[in-house]
Amino acid sequence: MERTTTAPVSNNAREEKTHKPFVTFWRKVYRPLGFQKGYNFPLFIIFAGAMMGFTLARLPYLNIAGTAASSFANNSSPGEWYWYKTGVYRIGITLHLGTILPAGFLLVWQFVPVIRHKLLIFHRINGYVIVLLVFIGNIGALLICRRAFGGTLDTQAAVGVLVIITTISMCLAYYNIKRLQIDQHRAWMLRAASYLGVIITTRLIMILSALIVGKLKSYNTTMTCDEITFMHDPSDSVKELYPQCSNPNSTVDQLVVVHADFGSGQVEQIRASLGISFGMALWLALFLHLVFVEAYLALTPRESNRLRQVSYERQMEKGFKNPGSAGLTSDRWGDAEAWRPMEEIAATEAEK
C-alpha cells in the first residue's frame, strides 16, 4: 500500500494564508491610488491628511480683514491683528496666507502616485505652481516674523531657517528633475513637504506648552499699553488691570509686565503664554520633522535604488553624461562609490 506524504508548509506560506483576506482587502484600498507598498498608504493618510485638514481649516483666513467671525482679523490668536492690520506687516500676512494655504492644498496631490503616473502634465504644472507659491509665501513669512507671536529672536531665527531649507529643498528638487534624477527629486520633495508641515506640529506643541506655562505660574513677558488696550473690550478695564497705562505721562509704547497664563481667561495673558511658547515649539517641531524625514529616507533604500535605475534608463535615452548620476548624487559630488546599473552588476556577477 502506497504511503502519501504531505509537503511541509513553510512559515511564510502559513502567514500569507493567515493574513491573505486582510492583505487582499488592504491592497484593494490603496492599489487603485497607485500605492505599491502597504506602509506608504497609512503614512500618506496621516501626514497628507494632516496637511489637508490644517489647510482647509485655515482657508477662511484668506478673508484677511473681513468682518466674518472666521476671518483672520477676528479668529487669529489674541493680539495678532494689532500688528498685522496696517503697514508692511499687513502686506506680509496677505502674501503669506494668500500663497501658503493654496500651496498646502495643492501639495497633497503631488504625492498621489496615480496622478504622477496618469496625469503627468497636471503633476508638472502643479509642481511649478507650488514652488512659486512657496517662494512668495516665504517672503511674506520673513516680513511678519518680527511680530509673529511676539517676534522674539528665537522665533525670527526659526522662521529664517525654515525659509532657507524649504527654498533650498525645492530648488534642488527642481534641478534634479530637470536632470531626470528622479530618486533625488523624490528625496528633496519629501524634505520640502516635511519642512512645510512644521507649522502643524508647532501649533500642537505650542498649545501644550502654553497650558504647562500657565500651570507653572512663573513666566512673564512685556507688552505695550496700546497692544493690551487693543485686545480688551471695553478698553477701560486695562487701567484697572495695569495702572501704569493710566499714568498721564505714559505713552502708547509704555511697556508693562504681563503674566503668562493660558487658562486665566484674560486675552493678554493667553497671548503671553502663546508668545513665550511659540519659538520653542517651532524649533522642536523643526527638529522632529528633520529627524522623521531623514529616517524615512534611510529606511526606504530599495525605493531610492529603483528610482535611480529608472533615472539611469531615462538619462540614457536623452543622452545625458554620467547616466544614473546626472543630477546631484553623492558619487559625483562626494566620496561615495560609483553607482552601477543593474545590468552591469548582473554581468559582473555572471563572469565570476
Side-chain angles (χ1 to χ4, degrees), residues 20-40:
K20 190 174 181 181
F22 172 75
V23 173
T24 302
F25 169 77
W26 192 238
R27 286 176 177 171
K28 287 181 180 179
V29 174
Y30 67 76
R31 284 282 174 85
L33 295 174
F35 292 96
Q36 299 300 316
K37 302 291 190 300
Y39 61 83
N40 277 341

Side-chain angles (χ1 to χ4, degrees), residues 126-279:
N126 194 42
Y128 294 140
V129 173
I130 291 169
V131 170
L132 179 62
L133 290 174
V134 169
F135 287 174
I136 298 173
N138 281 345
I139 294 172
L142 291 174
L143 291 175
I144 65 174
C145 67
R146 174 63 185 90
R147 297 301 179 186
F149 289 97
T152 55
L153 287 176
D154 55 340
T155 295
Q156 294 181 60
V159 171
V161 169
L162 270 174
V163 166
I164 291 170
I165 61 178
T166 53
T167 301
I168 290 176
S169 295
M170 289 200 158
C171 287
L172 292 179
Y174 176 80
Y175 175 81
N176 277 291
I177 200 59
K178 284 300 180 183
R179 300 294 298 170
L180 299 179
Q181 198 68 48
I182 304 171
D183 56 312
Q184 289 300 310
H185 173 72
R186 164 187 175 260
W188 286 108
M189 277 309 301
L190 283 171
R191 290 185 177 109
S194 179
Y195 304 153
L196 289 172
V198 164
I199 190 60
I200 303 172
T201 307
T202 298
R203 295 279 177 159
L204 299 175
I205 297 173
M206 177 180 67
I207 293 173
L208 180 60
S209 174
L211 291 169
I212 296 172
V213 164
K215 294 295 183 182
L216 294 175
K217 298 187 182 300
S218 59
Y219 286 87
N220 301 280
T221 188
T222 59
M223 295 183 192
T224 66
C225 289
D226 198 39
E227 187 177 359
I228 297 172
T229 302
F230 179 84
M231 288 184 276
H232 273 264
D233 186 24
S235 59
D236 292 342
S237 61
V238 174
K239 297 178 181 179
E240 299 175 6
L241 295 169
Y242 304 97
Q244 306 96 311
C245 295
S246 62
N247 188 331
N249 296 324
S250 67
T251 64
V252 293
D253 295 327
Q254 172 82 35
L255 289 174
V256 295
V257 176
V258 179
H259 181 61
D261 188 352
F262 191 76
S264 68
Q266 292 183 211
V267 285
E268 76 280 4
Q269 293 189 9
I270 294 173
R271 173 170 173 75
S273 63
L274 293 173
I276 287 173
S277 304
F278 185 70

Side-chain angles (χ1 to χ4, degrees), residues 279-297:
M280 175 277 298
L282 196 53
W283 278 111
L284 182 55
L286 176 56
F287 171 76
L288 292 174
H289 281 243
L290 279 166
V291 170
F292 173 80
V293 72
E294 294 304 326
Y296 178 79
L297 291 171

Side-chain angles (χ1 to χ4, degrees), residues 60-178:
Y61 279 11
L62 292 176
N63 181 11
I64 305 290
T67 57
S70 59
S71 69
F72 178 80
N74 292 322
N75 200 37
S76 57
S77 299
E80 290 289 283
W81 187 240
Y82 171 79
W83 297 106
Y84 295 150
K85 64 183 185 293
T86 58
V88 68
Y89 301 120
R90 174 66 180 275
I91 296 172
I93 196 64
T94 303
L95 282 177
H96 184 65
L97 293 178
T99 54
I100 213 67
L101 289 176
F105 177 82
L106 296 174
L107 183 66
V108 172
W109 308 108
Q110 292 297 90
F111 293 94
V112 180
V114 71
I115 292 178
R116 293 200 304 270
H117 299 152
K118 296 186 177 182
L119 298 172
L120 185 58
I121 295 298
F122 171 81
H123 180 74
R124 288 176 178 172
I125 295 174
N126 194 42
Y128 294 140
V129 173
I130 291 169
V131 170
L132 179 62
L133 290 174
V134 169
F135 287 174
I136 298 173
N138 281 345
I139 294 172
L142 291 174
L143 291 175
I144 65 174
C145 67
R146 174 63 185 90
R147 297 301 179 186
F149 289 97
T152 55
L153 287 176
D154 55 340
T155 295
Q156 294 181 60
V159 171
V161 169
L162 270 174
V163 166
I164 291 170
I165 61 178
T166 53
T167 301
I168 290 176
S169 295
M170 289 200 158
C171 287
L172 292 179
Y174 176 80
Y175 175 81
N176 277 291
I177 200 59
K178 284 300 180 183

